[in-house]
Every structure is written in C-alpha cells, then in structure tokens.
Short mmCIF file of all heavy atoms in Angstrom, two decimals:
data_model
loop_
_atom_site.label_atom_id
_atom_site.label_comp_id
_atom_site.label_asym_id
_atom_site.label_seq_id
_atom_site.Cartn_x
_atom_site.Cartn_y
_atom_site.Cartn_z
N SER A 1 -10.62 12.59 -13.23
CA SER A 1 -10.05 13.45 -12.25
C SER A 1 -8.80 12.83 -11.63
O SER A 1 -8.78 11.67 -11.43
CB SER A 1 -11.06 13.79 -11.15
OG SER A 1 -10.48 14.56 -10.16
N SER A 2 -7.81 13.67 -11.39
CA SER A 2 -6.60 13.15 -10.64
C SER A 2 -6.94 12.81 -9.19
O SER A 2 -6.18 12.05 -8.58
CB SER A 2 -5.52 14.25 -10.63
OG SER A 2 -5.07 14.55 -11.90
N ASP A 3 -8.05 13.28 -8.63
CA ASP A 3 -8.50 12.91 -7.35
C ASP A 3 -9.75 12.00 -7.54
O ASP A 3 -10.76 12.49 -7.89
CB ASP A 3 -8.85 14.14 -6.48
CG ASP A 3 -9.02 13.86 -5.02
OD1 ASP A 3 -9.58 12.77 -4.77
OD2 ASP A 3 -8.63 14.72 -4.18
N ALA A 4 -9.63 10.77 -7.22
CA ALA A 4 -10.71 9.82 -7.50
C ALA A 4 -11.91 10.02 -6.59
O ALA A 4 -12.98 9.52 -6.89
CB ALA A 4 -10.16 8.38 -7.30
N ARG A 5 -11.80 10.84 -5.60
CA ARG A 5 -12.88 11.20 -4.74
C ARG A 5 -13.88 12.21 -5.43
O ARG A 5 -15.01 12.34 -4.87
CB ARG A 5 -12.40 11.83 -3.41
CG ARG A 5 -11.47 10.94 -2.61
CD ARG A 5 -10.96 11.74 -1.40
NE ARG A 5 -10.05 12.85 -1.83
CZ ARG A 5 -9.58 13.70 -0.95
NH1 ARG A 5 -9.77 13.61 0.34
NH2 ARG A 5 -8.71 14.63 -1.42
N LYS A 6 -13.50 12.84 -6.47
CA LYS A 6 -14.33 13.84 -7.04
C LYS A 6 -15.53 13.22 -7.79
O LYS A 6 -15.46 12.83 -8.95
CB LYS A 6 -13.52 14.73 -8.03
CG LYS A 6 -14.29 15.94 -8.53
CD LYS A 6 -13.45 17.12 -8.77
CE LYS A 6 -14.22 18.30 -9.21
NZ LYS A 6 -15.27 18.67 -8.32
N ALA A 7 -16.67 13.21 -7.05
CA ALA A 7 -17.79 12.43 -7.46
C ALA A 7 -18.44 12.96 -8.71
O ALA A 7 -18.91 12.19 -9.58
CB ALA A 7 -18.86 12.39 -6.36
N ASN A 8 -18.50 14.24 -8.91
CA ASN A 8 -19.17 14.78 -10.07
C ASN A 8 -18.41 14.53 -11.38
O ASN A 8 -19.11 14.37 -12.43
CB ASN A 8 -19.56 16.25 -9.91
CG ASN A 8 -18.41 17.15 -9.67
OD1 ASN A 8 -17.28 16.69 -9.47
ND2 ASN A 8 -18.66 18.44 -9.63
N THR A 9 -17.13 14.43 -11.31
CA THR A 9 -16.37 14.05 -12.52
C THR A 9 -16.72 12.56 -12.88
O THR A 9 -16.95 12.26 -14.05
CB THR A 9 -14.88 14.10 -12.28
OG1 THR A 9 -14.56 15.50 -11.94
CG2 THR A 9 -14.12 13.77 -13.54
N ASN A 10 -16.80 11.70 -11.88
CA ASN A 10 -17.15 10.33 -12.15
C ASN A 10 -18.61 10.23 -12.64
O ASN A 10 -18.88 9.46 -13.59
CB ASN A 10 -17.08 9.49 -10.85
CG ASN A 10 -15.64 9.47 -10.32
OD1 ASN A 10 -14.72 9.56 -11.09
ND2 ASN A 10 -15.53 9.38 -9.01
N ALA A 11 -19.51 11.11 -12.17
CA ALA A 11 -20.88 11.23 -12.68
C ALA A 11 -20.87 11.65 -14.15
O ALA A 11 -21.66 11.01 -14.98
CB ALA A 11 -21.70 12.11 -11.84
N MET A 12 -20.07 12.57 -14.51
CA MET A 12 -20.05 13.01 -15.92
C MET A 12 -19.59 11.94 -16.86
O MET A 12 -20.09 11.77 -17.98
CB MET A 12 -19.05 14.20 -16.03
CG MET A 12 -19.60 15.55 -15.70
SD MET A 12 -21.10 16.02 -16.68
CE MET A 12 -20.46 15.81 -18.39
N ILE A 13 -18.63 11.05 -16.41
CA ILE A 13 -18.25 9.92 -17.24
C ILE A 13 -19.45 9.04 -17.48
O ILE A 13 -19.61 8.59 -18.60
CB ILE A 13 -17.11 9.15 -16.50
CG1 ILE A 13 -15.84 10.01 -16.46
CG2 ILE A 13 -16.80 7.84 -17.21
CD1 ILE A 13 -14.74 9.45 -15.58
N GLY A 14 -20.26 8.82 -16.46
CA GLY A 14 -21.43 8.02 -16.60
C GLY A 14 -22.46 8.59 -17.55
O GLY A 14 -23.03 7.92 -18.46
N PHE A 15 -22.70 9.93 -17.43
CA PHE A 15 -23.64 10.61 -18.29
C PHE A 15 -23.17 10.57 -19.73
O PHE A 15 -23.98 10.34 -20.64
CB PHE A 15 -23.71 12.08 -17.92
CG PHE A 15 -24.24 12.32 -16.47
CD1 PHE A 15 -23.97 13.49 -15.79
CD2 PHE A 15 -25.03 11.34 -15.88
CE1 PHE A 15 -24.40 13.70 -14.51
CE2 PHE A 15 -25.50 11.57 -14.59
CZ PHE A 15 -25.14 12.74 -13.85
N ALA A 16 -21.82 10.75 -19.97
CA ALA A 16 -21.31 10.77 -21.29
C ALA A 16 -21.53 9.35 -21.96
O ALA A 16 -21.82 9.31 -23.15
CB ALA A 16 -19.82 11.13 -21.33
N LYS A 17 -21.30 8.36 -21.25
CA LYS A 17 -21.53 7.02 -21.78
C LYS A 17 -22.97 6.70 -22.07
O LYS A 17 -23.22 5.96 -22.95
CB LYS A 17 -20.92 5.96 -20.76
CG LYS A 17 -19.40 6.02 -20.65
CD LYS A 17 -18.92 4.94 -19.69
CE LYS A 17 -17.36 4.96 -19.66
NZ LYS A 17 -16.85 3.99 -18.69
N ALA A 18 -23.85 7.33 -21.33
CA ALA A 18 -25.28 6.99 -21.49
C ALA A 18 -25.98 7.84 -22.54
O ALA A 18 -27.00 7.52 -23.08
CB ALA A 18 -26.03 7.11 -20.16
N MET A 19 -25.32 9.06 -22.88
CA MET A 19 -26.05 9.97 -23.76
C MET A 19 -25.86 9.54 -25.24
O MET A 19 -24.80 8.95 -25.60
CB MET A 19 -25.46 11.37 -23.63
CG MET A 19 -25.88 12.02 -22.30
SD MET A 19 -25.05 13.62 -21.98
CE MET A 19 -25.82 14.68 -23.25
N THR A 20 -26.82 9.75 -26.04
CA THR A 20 -26.78 9.47 -27.47
C THR A 20 -25.97 10.59 -28.15
O THR A 20 -25.91 11.72 -27.61
CB THR A 20 -28.13 9.34 -28.11
OG1 THR A 20 -28.81 10.68 -28.01
CG2 THR A 20 -28.97 8.36 -27.39
N ASP A 21 -25.53 10.42 -29.38
CA ASP A 21 -24.92 11.43 -30.17
C ASP A 21 -25.77 12.68 -30.41
O ASP A 21 -25.34 13.79 -30.29
CB ASP A 21 -24.39 10.90 -31.52
CG ASP A 21 -23.23 9.93 -31.36
OD1 ASP A 21 -22.62 9.82 -30.27
OD2 ASP A 21 -22.99 9.17 -32.36
N ASP A 22 -27.04 12.41 -30.60
CA ASP A 22 -27.98 13.52 -30.78
C ASP A 22 -28.22 14.34 -29.51
O ASP A 22 -28.34 15.53 -29.58
CB ASP A 22 -29.34 12.96 -31.26
CG ASP A 22 -29.30 12.52 -32.70
OD1 ASP A 22 -28.41 12.90 -33.43
OD2 ASP A 22 -30.26 11.79 -33.08
N GLU A 23 -28.16 13.67 -28.36
CA GLU A 23 -28.29 14.38 -27.11
C GLU A 23 -27.11 15.28 -26.82
O GLU A 23 -27.23 16.41 -26.34
CB GLU A 23 -28.55 13.47 -25.95
CG GLU A 23 -29.95 12.78 -25.97
CD GLU A 23 -30.18 11.62 -25.05
OE1 GLU A 23 -29.09 10.99 -24.68
OE2 GLU A 23 -31.29 11.33 -24.63
N VAL A 24 -25.92 14.70 -27.07
CA VAL A 24 -24.69 15.46 -26.91
C VAL A 24 -24.66 16.65 -27.80
O VAL A 24 -24.33 17.82 -27.47
CB VAL A 24 -23.43 14.61 -27.12
CG1 VAL A 24 -22.16 15.43 -27.16
CG2 VAL A 24 -23.33 13.50 -26.03
N LYS A 25 -25.08 16.43 -29.06
CA LYS A 25 -25.11 17.54 -30.07
C LYS A 25 -26.08 18.67 -29.62
O LYS A 25 -25.78 19.88 -29.72
CB LYS A 25 -25.49 17.03 -31.39
CG LYS A 25 -25.50 18.08 -32.52
CD LYS A 25 -25.87 17.51 -33.83
CE LYS A 25 -25.93 18.61 -34.95
NZ LYS A 25 -26.41 18.05 -36.25
N ALA A 26 -27.24 18.26 -29.15
CA ALA A 26 -28.29 19.28 -28.69
C ALA A 26 -27.76 20.07 -27.54
O ALA A 26 -27.91 21.27 -27.56
CB ALA A 26 -29.57 18.52 -28.31
N ALA A 27 -27.09 19.41 -26.53
CA ALA A 27 -26.61 20.18 -25.44
C ALA A 27 -25.45 21.11 -25.89
O ALA A 27 -25.34 22.25 -25.44
CB ALA A 27 -26.05 19.19 -24.34
N ALA A 28 -24.54 20.61 -26.77
CA ALA A 28 -23.46 21.39 -27.27
C ALA A 28 -23.88 22.61 -28.00
O ALA A 28 -23.41 23.70 -27.76
CB ALA A 28 -22.61 20.52 -28.17
N GLU A 29 -24.93 22.45 -28.89
CA GLU A 29 -25.40 23.58 -29.66
C GLU A 29 -26.10 24.56 -28.81
O GLU A 29 -26.02 25.86 -29.04
CB GLU A 29 -26.26 23.07 -30.78
CG GLU A 29 -25.43 22.32 -31.76
CD GLU A 29 -26.35 21.76 -32.94
OE1 GLU A 29 -27.58 21.72 -32.79
OE2 GLU A 29 -25.79 21.37 -33.99
N TYR A 30 -26.81 24.05 -27.79
CA TYR A 30 -27.51 24.99 -26.88
C TYR A 30 -26.48 25.90 -26.10
O TYR A 30 -26.61 27.11 -26.10
CB TYR A 30 -28.36 24.22 -25.93
CG TYR A 30 -28.89 25.13 -24.75
CD1 TYR A 30 -29.95 25.96 -25.00
CD2 TYR A 30 -28.31 25.11 -23.50
CE1 TYR A 30 -30.45 26.78 -24.00
CE2 TYR A 30 -28.79 25.91 -22.54
CZ TYR A 30 -29.89 26.79 -22.73
OH TYR A 30 -30.33 27.61 -21.75
N PHE A 31 -25.55 25.25 -25.43
CA PHE A 31 -24.63 26.03 -24.63
C PHE A 31 -23.72 26.94 -25.44
O PHE A 31 -23.25 27.97 -24.98
CB PHE A 31 -23.83 25.11 -23.69
CG PHE A 31 -24.62 24.52 -22.54
CD1 PHE A 31 -24.79 23.17 -22.42
CD2 PHE A 31 -25.16 25.43 -21.62
CE1 PHE A 31 -25.50 22.59 -21.38
CE2 PHE A 31 -25.92 24.88 -20.52
CZ PHE A 31 -26.08 23.50 -20.41
#
C-alpha cells in the first residue's frame, strides 16, 4: 500500500508468505 498505515494490506502480505501453493490454488479456484 502507498499508505503504510493500511493494516489489512500488511496482513495480506503476511498471509501470502505463509500460505502454501496448494492453499493459494484452492482459494483461487473457489473464488
């Protein structure tokens, strides 16, 4: 985020780093 205060964008970065490829694929195919 261009605004470093935006906490949920920072949270998404953490989630993306923690998720496995299979988890990302499962979420992607579901949505």
Side-chain angles (χ1 to χ4, degrees):
S1 176
S2 296
D3 192 324
R5 298 174 296 175
K6 188 149 181 54
N8 56 353
T9 301
N10 298 331
M12 277 302 306
I13 293 170
F15 299 155
K17 290 180 177 179
M19 289 172 71
T20 66
D21 291 346
D22 285 344
E23 288 169 336
V24 170
K25 181 181 178 183
E29 292 178 344
Y30 170 77
F31 286 119

